[in-house]
Amino acid sequence: MNANETVTSQAQPAGKTLPFQAEVQELLHLVVHSLYSNPEIFLRELISNASDANDKLRFEAATNPELYEGSGELKIWVDYDKAAGTITVRDNGIGMSETEVIENLGTIARSGTKAFFRNLSGDAQKDSLLIGQFGVGFYSAFIVADSVTVRTRKAGLPPESGVEWRCTLSGDEASAYSVASLTRAERGTEVILHLKEEARDFLSRWRLTELIHKYSEHILWPILMPKEEWDKEKGEYRRTGEWEQVNQGTALWARAKSEITDEEYRNFYRHVAHDFDEPLAWLHAKVEGKHEYTLLLYLPKHAPFDLWDPKPSHGVKLYVKRVFIMEDAERLLPHYLRFVRGVVDAADLPLNVSREMLQEAKALDAIRGGITKRVLGLLEQLAKNEPEKYATFWKAFGRVLKEGIGEDHANREKIAALLRFVSTASEGDEPTVSLDDYLARMKEGQTKIYYLTADSLAAARHSPHLELFKKKGIEVLLLTDRIDEWWTGYLTEYQGKPLVSVTRGADEIEALDDAEKTAVESAAKTHDATLKRLEEALKGKVKAVRPSARLTESPACLVVEEGGMTLHLKRILEAAGQKAPAVEPVLEVNVDHPLFARAASSEGDAFAEWAQLLYEEALLAEGGALEDPAGFVKRVNRLLVG
């Protein structure tokens, strides 16, 4: 489109008026009443949407060139009209059909609004920075406009398939919008904002250009504005009838690192990640060899709202020779690194590559492997040289990184070195202990790494399974994320040292000296009759009853044999609605505890009560739930009184 071309649209018969989805009404109310403290975000969001529309057309046209309709030069236009009080943002990208207009502008198809509301802090300045992350950036137009008109036509559809969408605020509220057909010769979308009186300071080239440089400088597509020259006679700027580019419109990643400032890196991150906080760290490199590619990748400071969605948005964009191919190219990075944002520009992939072809592209396997190692290398550098930054990363993405233990066998040891834990030797509740830290503090003769999984840190710290380890001064890692039960099944050893749960059988405990082992064997013989009576009383609930080597204070605990499912994992599976196999644990008893002595001296129903009490106490200490809490209370009361 040149300077003299205009968008030709001819209105058709009156359309229809539709109500907004309730969540959209709530969002519009929030935008108008709460986010006004940072009104300039409207332009960055509309330009970002226009850029996405151009990207999508480029991707679709790779396999369907007819969508270009004879014009493959993609641009974005920003214009203003002081007399009319309007600002227009226009693109010649993919455009929308009527159905897409209703879906995208009248409803929130991806639960973006709900997620947006959940993440609000109450600080209007901070909350306004969230709006682009949640797919609701278009509505920021109502911060500055009391009426918005959208005219669009989807690429490939006939001119008469154009659509006009209108919405006007009424007393700072909007409950409905109208949709009408129109004839539109050009594909793409234009958004016309009818500004509120208090927002008319945006009606200047200087102000709009300032915002473009601030937020959209490195968008790949040219952003054009009417060219203006100073008229000495009239003492004002006048338009020349030409358009000129006001952003760099170049691929930042293609420039030499020495030519790019930190602020330029940060600004590009805000664009590519739809996150207007600063990145935690970034990685910019050109890789040469069998496969040539350039990468510019970022680590965010905080987790995006869709981190746990099956298909998160705003991931890594794939370019081929600076031509956009697709967004969220999942094969560029393994799933456990889905928090990474940025771009990868490959030199030896075909320009018409599709998602299906990517599944078969062997070159991509090599690129993926190289990118993965570089991201893990960046994390290693942060962990070693900037521990405070790494602590921020771990708080946001630690649980996600743990997925890599099971997903990425080739890099399992590297990922394991990046894990952080709370342990019985650490101060406070923040996870700061690495496996290497643990190895450096191991007792002389210790050959195993011990850990305990629990529902909470408090439950872990007070677990009876730790009593012997505390007595011996042996460090135990305390794992409280649900995923910990999963990844510990894959990481069986680290640096040649086996990882062992302290809830496993006595054979796994190497902390016992010969005298203690002899004492346990002697106790088994001395109390053989009582132990057998306990087994009989608890038949169907426990596999066996035996003297405990690990208890010093508690009367009893439950353990599982090597290879068996832990009770903690069983509870997690059942809470997730999955069927878990039956688990018969072993009841270990402290034969020196008064409660064991009371049980041993009892007969008949009283003995059965004591046996049940020992089992239920052990189950509660382990984190389990009682089948009959009321019965437990009555049993305790009877035994206390009697």
Side-chain angles (χ1 to χ4, degrees), residues 313-385:
S313 58
H314 306 315
V316 176
K317 294 185 177 184
L318 174 63
Y319 289 77
V320 175
K321 299 174 184 176
R322 305 185 195 178
V323 175
F324 174 79
I325 300 299
M326 67 182 66
E327 192 164 16
D328 310 324
E330 58 273 10
R331 281 208 61 203
L332 289 174
L333 278 173
H335 191 61
Y336 71 91
L337 294 179
R338 59 187 177 274
F339 50 80
V340 175
R341 300 292 184 259
V343 299
V344 173
D345 192 343
D348 48 9
L349 288 175
L351 281 174
N352 63 344
V353 68
S354 64
R355 289 191 182 275
E356 291 73 22
M357 292 175 65
L358 280 178
Q359 299 303 318
E360 307 297 329
K362 293 183 179 179
L364 208 64
D365 290 330
I367 294 174
R368 173 190 171 108
I371 296 172
T372 299
K373 287 183 178 179
R374 285 179 177 270
V375 171
L376 294 177
L378 175 61
L379 292 174
E380 288 171 358
Q381 291 176 21
L382 278 184
K384 180 180 179 181
N385 302 322

Side-chain angles (χ1 to χ4, degrees), residues 535-593:
E535 279 188 21
E536 185 62 28
L538 297 173
K539 192 172 184 179
K541 294 183 178 179
V542 299
K543 182 179 181 181
V545 180
R546 65 189 180 207
S548 178
R550 73 189 82 216
L551 297 176
T552 61
E553 299 175 4
S554 301
C557 69
L558 295 172
V559 300
V560 294
E561 301 291 13
E562 183 60 30
M565 177 181 291
T566 66
L567 295 173
H568 184 237
L569 178 57
K570 183 175 186 293
R571 289 196 302 274
I572 290 175
L573 292 176
E574 290 174 342
Q578 299 185 36
K579 187 176 181 180
V583 177
E584 274 195 322
V586 172
L587 178 69
E588 289 193 356
V589 292
N590 182 355
V591 297
D592 296 323
H593 198 279

Side-chain angles (χ1 to χ4, degrees), residues 36-47:
Y36 58 84
S37 64
N38 191 18
E40 63 187 35
I41 66 170
F42 83 92
L43 189 61
R44 80 169 189 223
E45 293 302 327
L46 296 181
I47 290 178

Side-chain angles (χ1 to χ4, degrees), residues 18 22 34 39 90 128-129 150 216 247 314 341 383 390 634:
L18 300 172
S34 301
R90 178 160 49 91
S128 68
L129 300 181
V150 178
S216 310
N247 69 322
H314 306 315
R341 300 292 184 259
Y390 191 74
K634 291 178 181 178

Side-chain angles (χ1 to χ4, degrees), residues 466-481:
L466 296 178
E467 291 176 3
L468 176 67
F469 295 89
K470 290 178 180 178
K471 178 182 176 182
K472 297 285 187 177
I474 297 175
E475 187 173 6
V476 178
L477 303 175
L478 307 178
L479 313 182
T480 57
D481 288 336

